C-alpha cells in the first residue's frame, strides 16, 4: 500500500506497526520486554519500532523513533536496565506535548503502543489514548496533517506492562524487575547476616518502597528478619516497646544476631516517619546492642535480571503483541499481569486506580483498607511472616487437646527452599502449640537409625535450631531417595512408636511416590491413618498436582548464570555455539524455561525427543545465522539439551555433529553444569513461596484435628499435594492425582502446563519449523 501524503500507509491484513517504550524508573527485565515485543511483532508479520528515552522520545520524534529488526535485540535478555532508555518528560503531561507525540506516531505509521513502566507511565498512556481522537482533530485543524493522513489512524491501541522493582501495582502478583531487586537485597542481607552473627550485632537495613512494602516484607520473610516496617501496615502505637520485646526474647533464646528491615516509606500509625536512625538508637540505647545501619539504595535497581524476570518479561511481551492484534476500537486498554502462575489481561485503569487507592488509604490512616487493596498473596505473606518470626505468641496457641505431633521428612534429591519450608513449618507448629519432629535422612534414616545413641534420627526441633535455615541450600535434616516400601512394616512401627499425628513431606517425585505408598498401606497399617501432605520441592518441577515446585527457581537462576558466562565466552570468539546439558529428569521444564530466559537457539526435551531431521534443520539454521552476521554480532549462541532428551544423541555427540557440519565456519563446544544446578543458597522466590506454602500445609493438617483414624482413612483429601495451578493455590487428593494426572513411567504429570512455551522459545529464536525446511538437507524452503 502506498504512503498517504508522506505518512506510511497501514499494513495489510490487520497487521500493525507497534511501538515499544520503557518509561519511569528502570527495572531489570525491561530489555526482555523490548526483545519479545520486537521479535513477536516481526514473527506476526508486523513492524516494530523502538521509542528511545520514553515519552521524551515520543515527543521529540526524529531519530528517537527507530524501526527495529530481528538482530537489533540479540543478546538483550541478559542486559540490565533499559537499552532504549527512559527519561522524565514534563512536556508529555501537557496537551501540546501529547499533540506533538501523536504527530510523530502518525508520521512513522505507528498505530499501537506497548509501554513498560510504573503506574504514572501507564496513566499517561491511557490519557494519551483518551485524548487521541481530539489530538488528531486538532492536528488537522492546525494544518499539521491532512484528513487523509490521519484517517488510517483513527484508533490507538495501548497495552501496558508493569516494570517496577517495588511490585507496587495492584492486579498482578509480580511486576517485571521485583524479584531481581529482591535478589539483590537478599544477597546483601545474607552477607550482613554473617558479620552480624560473628559480632553479635544488630543491623537496620533500609530498602526501597515509598508507598509499597513488598520489598521490605519479602526481604523479611526470605531473610528471617526480626522486625519489619512497611507503609501499608505500620506497627502498633507502642511499637518501640513491641520491637524491643521481640528482639530481647530472640536474644534470650540464644540468637546472636538481629536484622530489622525498614521500607523507605515506613511510618507509624500517626504518619510520622520511622527512620533507620531512630530504630538504631532504640536498639543501641534500650537493648544495648551494637547496631549498624545499611542503606542499599540504587544497588537494588541495577544488574542483570534474574531467571524469573527474564521469563516474565518475555511472556508478557509476547502476550502484549497478542493483545494488540486482538484489540478492537472498543477494547479497554489492558495491562498484562501474572496471577500465581498464569499470564492474564486486566483493565489498565482499574489496576492504576486500585494502586493509587493504596496511597490514599495510607494517607487517611485506613491501614486495613490499604492491606486489603494489595493482592491476597501479599496479605498471606504478611500473616505467614508474623506467625513464623516469633514462636512465643500465646494468642495463637490452640487448646491442648488440639496439639499435634507433626513429623517432617525430606525425600528425594536436595532442592533450594527445603530448609526454608522446614523452618516455617517448625515455627508455625511451635506458635500453635504443636510438636515439630524432624525425621533425619528420609525413610531409610527413620527405619535404620531412629533409636541410635546419643541422638537418633527422630528428633523434636526447637526454634533456635532452625532459625538460621531460611537462607541455607540443600537439606539440613538430610534427604535421600529411599521409599517406605523398602521396609513398610518398620516404617509403620516407627510411626506408632513416635506417635506421629500428622506427616509433612517435602520433596520431588520420590516424595510423591512415598506419599502414594503410605496412603495405599493404610488398609494394613493403622499407623498411616493420619493426615499427610506434600510440598513439592524439586529442581525438575515434575510433581503431579502443581505447576511450581520449590527449588526450580533456584535451579533456573544457577543455570542462567552458567549460560550467561558461556554466552560471554561464545561472544568473544564471535563464531561459537555451546550445547549445554540441563538436569530435570524426564521433564523438559528446566530446559524450556531456561531456554526462554537466555534466548536459546534450540531446546531439546524428553517430551519431544531428538531426531536426525531436527538436528539437520537446526544445524542449517546455525549455518544461515552465522553467514548473515559475518562475525559482526557479539552474541554467542546456546542450545539446551535435557539430560534425558535422547539415548542416542548425547550432548557431546550433538556438539561434535555441529562442529563437523560447520566445515570450519564456526565452532561448537559442550558444557555440563551438573549438580551446580542443585546447590547454592535458595532464590528469594523459593524462600518466600516455601514459607507461604509450608504454613498452608500445616494449617491443612490442622484441619483434620479431632477426626478418628477411620474418618481420616475414608477422607480422600487426607493425603494431598499442595500446588499452584493457574491462578490458584490448591490441594489435590492423592488418589485422584495418582489415577488421572500421573505418568508413572516417565515420572512426570500427564499434562505439563509449560509445553506450549516451547513454541514461544522457537518463535523468539527464529528456529525454523518442520514445514519450513527441506526434509533431506534441512535448508529453509
Amino acid at each position: 500500500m502506498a504512503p498517504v501524503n508522506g505518512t506510511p500507509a497501514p499494513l495489510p491484513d490487520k497487521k500493525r506497526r507497534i511501538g515499544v517504550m520503557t518509561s519511569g524508573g528502570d527495572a531489570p527485565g525491561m530489555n526482555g520486554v523490548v526483545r519479545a515485543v520486537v521479535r513477536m511483532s516481526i514473527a506476526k508479520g508486523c513492524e516494530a519500532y523502538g521509542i528511545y528515552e520514553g515519552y521524551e522520545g515520543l515527543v521529540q520524534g526524529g531519530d528517537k523513533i527507530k524501526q527495529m529488526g530481528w538482530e537489533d535485540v540479540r543478546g538483550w535478555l541478559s542486559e540490565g536496565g533499559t537499552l532504549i532508555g527512559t527519561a522524565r518528560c514534563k512536556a508529555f503531561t501537557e496537551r501540546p506535548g501529547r499533540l506533538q507525540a501523536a504527530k510523530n506516531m502518525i508520521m512513522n505509521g505507528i498505530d499501537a503502543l506497548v509501554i513498560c513502566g510504573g503506574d504514572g507511565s501507564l496513566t499517561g498512556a491511557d490519557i494519551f489514548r483518551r485524548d487521541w481522537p481530539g489530538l488528531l482533530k486538532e492536528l488537522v485543524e492546525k494544518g499539521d496533517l491532512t484528513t487523509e493522513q490521519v484517517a488510517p489512524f483513527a484508533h490507538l491501541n495501548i497495552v501496558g506492562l508493569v516494570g517496577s522493582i517495588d511490585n507496587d501495582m495492584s492486579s498482578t502478583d509480580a511486576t517485571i524487575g521485583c524479584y531481581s531487586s529482591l535478589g539483590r537485597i537478599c544477597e546483601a542481607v545474607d552477607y550482613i547476616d554473617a558479620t552480624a552473627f560473628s559480632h553479635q550485632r544488630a543491623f537496620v537495613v533500609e530498602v526501597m518502597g515509598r508507598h509499597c512494602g513488598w520489598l521490605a516484607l519479602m526481604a523479611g520473610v526470605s531473610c528471617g528478619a526480626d522486625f519489619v516496617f512497611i507503609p501499608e501496615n505500620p506497627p502498633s502505637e507502642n511499637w518501640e516497646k513491641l520491637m524491643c520485646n521481640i528482639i530481647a526474647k530472640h536474644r534470650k533464646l540464644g540468637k546472636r544476631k538481629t536484622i530489622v528491615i525498614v521500607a523507605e516509606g515506613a511510618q507509624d500509625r500517626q504518619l510520622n516517619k520511622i527512620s533507620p536512625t531512630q530504630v538504631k538508637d532504640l536498639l543501641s540505647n534500650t537493648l544495648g546492642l551494637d547496631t549498624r545501619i545499611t542503606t542499599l539504595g540504587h544497588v537494588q535497581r541495577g544488574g542483570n535480571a534474574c531467571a524469573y524476570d527474564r521469563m516474565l518479561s518475555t511472556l508478557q511481551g509476547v502476550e502484549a503483541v497478542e493483545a494488540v492484534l486482538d484489540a478492537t476500537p472498543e477494547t479497554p486498554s489492558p495491562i498484562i499481569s501474572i496471577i500465581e502462575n498464569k499470564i492474564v489481561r486486566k483493565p489498565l485503569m482499574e489496576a492504576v486506580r486500585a494502586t493509587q487507592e493504596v496511597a490514599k488509604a495510607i494517607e487517611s490512616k485506613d491501614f486495613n483498607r490499604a492491606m486489603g487493596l494489595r493482592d491476597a498473596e501479599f496479605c498471606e505473606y504478611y500473616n505467614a511472616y508474623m506467625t513464623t518470626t516469633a514462636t512465643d505468641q500465646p494468642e495463637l496457641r490452640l487448646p491442648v487437646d488440639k496439639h499435634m505431633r507433626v513429623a517432617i521428612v525430606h525425600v528425594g534429591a536436595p532442592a533450594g527452599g527445603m530448609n526454608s519450608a522446614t523452618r516455617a513449618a517448625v515455627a508455625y507448629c511451635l506458635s500453635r502449640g504443636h510438636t515439630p519432629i524432624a525425621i533425619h535422612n528420609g525413610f531409610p534414616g527413620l527405619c535404620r537409625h531412629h533409636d541410635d545413641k546419643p541422638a537418633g534420627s527422630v528428633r523434636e526441633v526447637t526454634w533456635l535450631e532452625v532459625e538460621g535455615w531460611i537462607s541455607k541450600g540443600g537439606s539440613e535434616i538430610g534427604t535421600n531417595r529411599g521409599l517406605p516400601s523398602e521396609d513398610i512394616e518398620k516404617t509403620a512401627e516407627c510411626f506408632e512408636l513416635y506417635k506421629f499425628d500428622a506427616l509433612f513431606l517435602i520433596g520431588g517425585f520420590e516424595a510423591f511416590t512415598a506419599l502414594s505408598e503410605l496412603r495405599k498401606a493404610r488398609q494394613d497399617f493403622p499407623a498411616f491413618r493420619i493426615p499427610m501432605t506434600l510440598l513439592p520441592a524439586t529442581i525438575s518441577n515434575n510433581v503431579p498436582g502443581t505447576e511450581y515446585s520449590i527449588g526450580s527457581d533456584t535451579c533456573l537462576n544457577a543455570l542462567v548464570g552458567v549460560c550467561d558466562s558461556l554466552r560471554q565466552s561464545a561472544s568473544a570468539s564471535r563464531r561459537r555455539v555451546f550445547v549445554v546439558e540441563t538436569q530435570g529428569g524426564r521433564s523438559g521444564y528446566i530446559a524450556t524455561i531456561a531456554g526462554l530466559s537466555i534466548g536459546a537457539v534450540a531446546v531439546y526435551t524428553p517430551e519431544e525427543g531428538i531426531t536426525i531431521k531436527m538436528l539437520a534443520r537446526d544445524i542449517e539454521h546455525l549455518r544461515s545465522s552465522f553467514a548473515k552476521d559475518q562475525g559482526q554480532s557479539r552474541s554467542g549462541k546456546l542450545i539446551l539439551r535435557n539430560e534425558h532428551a535422547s539415548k542416542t544423541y548425547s550432548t557431546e555427540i550433538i556438539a561434535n555433529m555441529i562442529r563437523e557440519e560447520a566445515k570450519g565456519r564456526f565452532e561448537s563446544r559442550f558444557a555440563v553444569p551438573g549438580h551446580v544446578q542443585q546447590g547454592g543458597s535458595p532464590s528469594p522466590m523459593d524462600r518466600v513461596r516455601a514459607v507461604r506454602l509450608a504454613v498452608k500445609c500445616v494449617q491443612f493438617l490442622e484441619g483434620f484435628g479431632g477426626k478418628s483414624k477411620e474418618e481420616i482413612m475414608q477422607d480422600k483429601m487426607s493425603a494431598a499435594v499442595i500446588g499452584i495451578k493457574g491462578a490458584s493455590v490448591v490441594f489435590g487428593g492423592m488418589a485422584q492425582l495418582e489415577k488421572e494426572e500421573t505418568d508413572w513411567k516417565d515420572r512426570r504429570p500427564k499434562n505439563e502446563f509449560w509445553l506450549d512455551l516451547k513454541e514461544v522459545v522457537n518463535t523468539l529464536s527464529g528456529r525454523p519449523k518442520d514445514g519450513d525446511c527441506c526434509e533431506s538437507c534441512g535448508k529453509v524452503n
Side-chain angles (χ1 to χ4, degrees), residues 42 63 86 105 115 132 165 229 292 301 310 342 534 590 602 652 684 702 712 729 763 775:
I42 294 170
D63 62 359
T86 179
M105 284 185 62
I115 300 168
W132 186 256
I165 66 167
F229 292 92
R292 308 294 167 90
R301 191 180 291 283
R310 297 187 195 193
K342 187 177 179 61
L534 165 63
I590 288 296
E652 184 175 4
E702 284 180 330
I712 289 172
V729 175
T763 298
E775 289 195 12

Side-chain angles (χ1 to χ4, degrees), residues 14-77:
K14 297 185 178 179
K15 305 301 183 187
R16 314 294 290 272
R17 288 189 182 89
I18 302 173
V20 58
M21 61 185 281
T22 52
S23 181
D26 66 298
M30 281 184 163
N31 292 319
V33 169
V34 178
R35 172 184 177 271
V37 170
V38 168
R39 291 199 168 180
M40 193 65 183
S41 297
I42 294 170
K44 291 287 186 178
C46 301
E47 292 179 5
Y49 288 77
I51 299 169
Y52 286 70
E53 313 304 338
Y55 285 114
E56 184 68 29
L58 200 60
V59 173
Q60 288 186 20
D63 62 359
K64 300 294 186 187
I65 302 176
K66 302 176 185 177
Q67 185 172 357
M68 301 189 78
W70 191 272
E71 295 299 320
D72 291 335
V73 292
R74 183 175 294 282
W76 281 34
L77 265 174

Side-chain angles (χ1 to χ4, degrees), residues 384-397:
Y385 171 75
M386 296 303 293
T387 305
T388 59
T389 190
T391 58
D392 184 17
Q393 302 183 65
E395 70 277 9
L396 296 178
R397 293 180 73 85

Side-chain angles (χ1 to χ4, degrees), residues 398-407 429 432-437 499-503 530-531 698-706 712:
L398 294 171
V400 175
D401 62 337
K402 292 187 180 296
H403 291 178
M404 305 168 72
R405 290 174 58 81
V406 181
C429 283
R432 302 285 278 173
H434 304 310
T435 302
I437 303 163
K499 297 181 172 59
F500 297 154
D501 297 314
L503 179 66
I530 59 174
V698 182
Q699 290 172 339
F700 177 79
L701 295 173
E702 284 180 330
F704 292 88
I712 289 172

Side-chain angles (χ1 to χ4, degrees), residues 35 39 70-79 83 563-564 566-578 598-599 601 622 625-626 629 631-638:
R35 172 184 177 271
R39 291 199 168 180
W70 191 272
E71 295 299 320
D72 291 335
V73 292
R74 183 175 294 282
W76 281 34
L77 265 174
S78 60
E79 297 288 340
L83 293 175
C563 289
D564 281 352
L566 293 173
R567 186 188 291 279
Q568 188 177 61
S569 171
S571 298
S573 71
R574 297 296 198 274
R575 291 182 171 276
R576 180 171 291 171
V577 181
F578 270 99
I598 64 168
V601 173
L622 287 170
S625 180
F626 279 113
D629 71 30
Q632 298 305 306
S633 172
R634 292 188 59 253
S635 299
K637 294 177 172 56
L638 300 179

Side-chain angles (χ1 to χ4, degrees), residues 421-555:
T422 304
R423 175 189 180 275
V426 168
Y428 182 82
C429 283
L430 293 172
S431 295
R432 302 285 278 173
H434 304 310
T435 302
I437 303 163
I439 299 174
H440 290 252
N441 302 316
F443 287 104
L446 173 68
C447 296
R448 300 171 194 164
H449 304 290
H450 69 94
D451 56 356
D452 285 0
K453 304 299 180 187
S457 60
V458 180
R459 307 174 208 163
E460 292 185 11
V461 194
T462 67
W463 179 77
L464 191 60
E465 283 181 81
V466 302
E467 190 279 324
W469 289 10
I470 189 78
S471 61
K472 288 191 175 183
S475 168
E476 289 294 300
I477 65 174
T479 182
N480 61 49
R481 300 177 187 274
L483 297 172
S485 56
E486 293 174 13
D487 195 342
I488 196 72
E489 291 84 2
K490 189 67 176 179
T491 303
E493 180 186 318
C494 290
F495 271 50
E496 197 71 52
L497 177 64
Y498 293 100
K499 297 181 172 59
F500 297 154
D501 297 314
L503 179 66
F504 179 32
L505 300 97
I506 304 171
F509 201 89
E510 287 83 5
F512 182 85
T513 305
L515 183 54
S516 173
E517 291 179 355
L518 294 172
R519 184 191 69 80
K520 292 175 181 176
R522 283 173 167 174
Q523 198 67 40
D524 300 318
F525 300 98
F528 300 146
R529 297 172 189 173
I530 59 174
M532 308 177 192
T533 189
L534 165 63
L535 172 53
T538 167
I539 68 169
S540 304
N541 198 21
N542 62 340
V543 177
T546 186
E547 296 174 3
Y548 174 86
S549 298
I550 301 300
S552 59
D553 187 65
T554 301
C555 173

Side-chain angles (χ1 to χ4, degrees), residues 21 23 55 113-130 156-163 168-172 320 323-324 330-337 344-357:
M21 61 185 281
S23 181
Y55 285 114
L113 270 181
V114 175
I115 300 168
C116 182
D119 62 333
S121 302
L122 299 179
T123 301
D126 199 72
I127 291 172
F128 192 38
R129 175 179 170 168
R130 183 196 66 196
L156 172 65
N157 290 119
I158 284 176
V159 178
L161 293 86
V162 192
D168 54 357
M169 179 65 76
S170 296
S171 302
T172 186
V324 165
E330 293 75 32
T331 306
S333 298
I335 187 174
I336 310 300
S337 305
V344 296
R345 302 175 194 174
K346 296 287 188 74
L348 187 151
M349 285 315 296
E350 283 185 21
V352 170
R353 278 192 290 270
T355 301
Q356 294 170 345
E357 283 298 314

Side-chain angles (χ1 to χ4, degrees), residues 624-699:
S624 173
S625 180
F626 279 113
K628 286 177 183 175
D629 71 30
Q630 297 181 335
Q632 298 305 306
S633 172
R634 292 188 59 253
S635 299
K637 294 177 172 56
L638 300 179
I639 292 174
L640 301 187
R641 175 193 173 274
N642 170 277
E643 58 190 340
H644 293 296
S646 171
K647 292 180 180 179
T648 304
Y649 300 109
S650 69
T651 305
E652 184 175 4
I653 286 174
I654 293 173
N656 289 340
M657 289 175 68
I658 293 172
R659 185 185 303 116
E660 181 68 24
E661 293 299 320
K663 307 296 185 186
R665 284 174 286 184
F666 53 92
E667 297 178 344
S668 177
R669 299 283 191 275
F670 73 96
V672 183
H675 284 74
V676 167
Q677 298 163 77
Q678 287 184 4
S681 182
S683 72
M685 173 176 282
D686 280 334
R687 297 187 200 185
V688 297
R689 284 192 167 178
V691 170
R692 177 189 177 209
L693 297 179
V695 169
K696 278 183 170 290
C697 282
V698 182
Q699 290 172 339

